[in-house]
Structure formats: C-alpha cells, structure tokens
Amino acid sequence: ENAKHCLDITLEDFNLLGKPAEMIWYLGDSVERWDLSHLEAMTKMQVDGFGSLDIPLCYVTGNHDYDYMRYRKEELQLKAPIMPFYDAVRAKEGWHTTKTPQDLYFKVKLGDYPVYFFSDHIDNENRWLVTHSHIVYGEEFYPYTQKDADAIRQEIINENHGVITASHYCMPGGNRDSYLMSKLTPLPENVLIHFYGHSHIGDFEWGGKDAYRRIAWVDFEDIPQIDVASMENIRGSFCRSALLQIYDDDTMAVFFRNHDAHCFTEVYFPAKDKQTLTIPHEERQRIIRDHIHYV
C-alpha cells in the first residue's frame, strides 16, 4: 500500500510535467522483504506503472532487492537468485540492467555520454552476495578483485567522451556505504558526475548528520555526486527524484523534484571544467591512492 501510494504520487507528477525524460535511471531497492507474493505484486505494479510512460529504464539493484535471498537462503536452501523485478527488467524490451545477476555493471549511451551503472550482485548459484557495497556472505567464493576494478577504470579512461556514473551507493565522500565503490577510485579524469540512492534524504535513523546532504564530492577529487534517494515519503521527507539536463554546450543541470508538492526544490549546475590542481595526472593519482585504504 505504501509503495503504490508513492508510485502514484510520482507518476502523477511526472505526467503533469509532460514526461520530460529520454531515460529513467532506477537506482535500486525496487522491492523489499521476503514474501514472494508481495515481491511479485510489487513487480507487476511497477512494470505496469513505469511501462505506461514508454521511456527506456535503466535499473541497478540495491540492498533490499536481495532481502529474499539474505533472509530465506538457509531455510529454502536457495540455489539460484529469486529476483522478480530484476527478471522483469531483463525481459522487457528497451529496459536495461546487468546481463546476469553476478555482473558488476552495465553501460548505456545517453546521446554521446556513456553512463556506467554499478550494481549490487549475487552469484548465479547463490554462493556469495554483495549489498551495502560489502560482501555479505560467501567471501571465499567471491571472484572479483582489484584487477577487475582497474580494468573498469581503464575502460572508462578509453571512452572518447565525458562519462557519467550511477549506482545504489555513493563513491567515497558521499552518504553511507562506499567500501567496494572505493575500489574504482581515483576515478578517471573524464568522469563528470555520480548519481546514487540508498541514503534517504530526511532519514535521521540511517542518514545521521548527512540526513539532508544532497550534494557531496568524491573524496580527493573534483567530481560531484548527487544523492537522489528516495522516491518515497515514509522514511524520506517526500517522494523525490532528480532530473539531469544536458545542454548543447555540454553544461549540465540537476533539478531536484518534490513530487508530493509538484515543484522543483532547487537546481545545481556542475562546473563544466574541473577545478583541479595543475599537477600531472599521474602524480595526482599517486597522492589520492596514498590516502585511500585498499584491501
């Protein structure tokens, strides 16, 4: 009932705006808890709701998308992930997510901009699980290492354009969990901005001192990161989203939307050119890496 209430508020407001988007980025936590009939009903409700917009949707999983596996794994001896909304996204034409549940990321083009979406992930045979940017269980089976993160960084470096990143979680310097995301840092020079969810704006229980921080910077880097969370007015302060506008001259604007009140609350214009120190890139990376803890 809560989810339907919030989805109806958001879709009504989005339609009032004239559906002003070329793409929807869904940054995780599509469902929660471990009643399978409830998860399936949540899935149908959202597939019907977002599907009515006829706009491509990009979806990364978040920690609550794995509640069923986390809390029923031993009881049911689950041998494969059960993720109704994830499966529905994979099956729907024009919607995007990782190819398999255990993939780290996927990439979609927005005009000339490659957008890298980093997802929570789970072993195809349910031996290990990553949520909250940590390995929750099965660390001895987890296949990815720092070399995989470095390979992704190199892929980003090789892009012939500025890059946008998105995840359920922040990079270091943002709100709440960022341990595994820190493996990607220092981010390449061509990363322009990061979007994330997870830390509900206005939620003191989990957000603490950062409960209202919507904009932060990646530690040691001049890269802004935007907390979009969340599209609900129960733990958060209202049903919110952010609209990214990219102009013809490649400048950007991030408009924060209050769907309950049908209004924009603020707008942020990221600097087009980074305000970095004029030191060689390799030296800057060495300084950053010296201050970041890797294991």
Side-chain angles (χ1 to χ4, degrees):
E1 290 80 10
N2 285 337
K4 184 179 188 307
H5 175 68
C6 293
L7 182 63
D8 288 347
I9 286 172
T10 302
L11 292 180
E12 178 192 7
D13 185 51
F14 197 69
N15 280 306
L16 286 175
L17 289 171
K19 299 188 290 190
E22 299 173 42
M23 192 180 292
I24 295 169
W25 299 349
Y26 195 150
L27 302 184
D29 285 358
S30 62
V31 297
E32 65 175 344
R33 302 184 73 80
W34 43 89
D35 181 318
L36 189 55
S37 63
H38 174 78
L39 303 183
E40 290 170 345
M42 286 274 290
T43 293
K44 183 180 187 308
M45 178 185 71
Q46 293 180 91
V47 170
D48 291 347
F50 288 115
S52 70
L53 299 175
D54 196 27
I55 298 173
L57 182 144
C58 300
Y59 164 67
V60 296
T61 57
N63 53 290
H64 284 299
D65 293 301
Y66 298 88
D67 283 352
Y68 191 81
M69 277 71 71
R70 289 184 68 186
Y71 298 108
R72 305 207 69 180
K73 179 178 186 290
E74 301 302 329
E75 172 195 352
L76 299 178
Q77 294 294 299
L78 299 174
K79 300 300 182 185
I82 295 176
M83 304 172 65
F85 188 77
Y86 172 82
D87 292 338
V89 171
R90 280 204 305 176
K92 189 166 180 62
E93 185 177 359
W95 288 16
H96 308 275
T97 189
T98 53
K99 290 181 180 179
T100 75
Q102 66 183 28
D103 290 343
L104 291 168
Y105 73 105
F106 66 98
K107 180 173 65 173
V108 174
K109 275 287 195 75
L110 176 63
D112 293 329
Y113 289 82
V115 186
Y116 281 70
F117 293 92
F118 296 99
S119 194
D120 274 351
H121 41 292
I122 189 170
D123 179 48
N124 290 337
E125 298 178 0
N126 204 23
R127 293 172 299 175
W128 52 261
L129 169 64
V130 165
T131 74
H132 295 88
S133 203
H134 285 76
I135 302 170
V136 176
Y137 59 74
E139 186 170 2
E140 66 273 24
F141 300 113
Y142 188 66
Y144 300 114
T145 67
Q146 184 63 49
K147 288 183 179 179
D148 296 288
D150 291 342
I152 296 171
R153 292 181 68 258
Q154 189 58 52
E155 182 181 348
I156 293 174
I157 290 169
N158 293 341
E159 298 284 0
N160 190 29
H161 202 278
V163 169
I164 300 167
T165 61
S167 174
H168 189 57
Y169 307 104
C170 64
M171 297 289 180
N175 303 344
R176 297 191 64 188
D177 314 290
S178 65
Y179 168 67
L180 287 178
M181 296 299 292
S182 74
K183 302 291 186 179
L184 296 166
T185 57
L187 294 172
E189 283 285 293
N190 56 333
V191 174
L192 304 176
I193 192 169
H194 178 68
F195 292 88
Y196 67 98
H198 190 50
S199 187
H200 319 123
I201 302 300
D203 181 359
F204 279 90
E205 179 179 359
W206 294 104
K209 66 180 178 57
D210 296 324
Y212 291 110
R213 186 169 69 158
R214 299 175 288 281
I215 304 172
W217 269 256
V218 179
D219 280 347
F220 303 102
E221 305 193 62
D222 189 26
I223 301 172
Q225 47 181 333
I226 310 298
D227 183 355
V228 182
S230 58
M231 207 186 79
E232 51 94 356
N233 56 14
I234 301 154
R235 288 174 296 180
S237 47
F238 49 78
C239 297
R240 64 175 63 246
S241 56
L243 282 78
L244 171 66
Q245 175 76 41
I246 303 176
Y247 299 98
D248 290 341
D249 64 355
D250 287 330
T251 56
M252 295 181 178
V254 179
F255 295 86
F256 295 87
R257 184 73 177 179
N258 178 340
H259 296 296
D260 297 65
H262 306 303
C263 68
F264 291 104
T265 59
E266 57 209 312
V267 60
Y268 166 61
F269 295 94
K272 185 176 180 180
D273 299 313
K274 294 181 180 179
Q275 329 257 322
T276 52
L277 296 172
T278 54
I279 59 175
H281 179 61
E282 295 77 10
E283 176 66 9
R284 192 174 67 85
Q285 287 207 337
R286 184 194 65 76
I287 293 170
I288 293 169
R289 282 186 176 269
D290 284 349
H291 287 83
I292 295 176
H293 176 64
Y294 291 91
V295 296

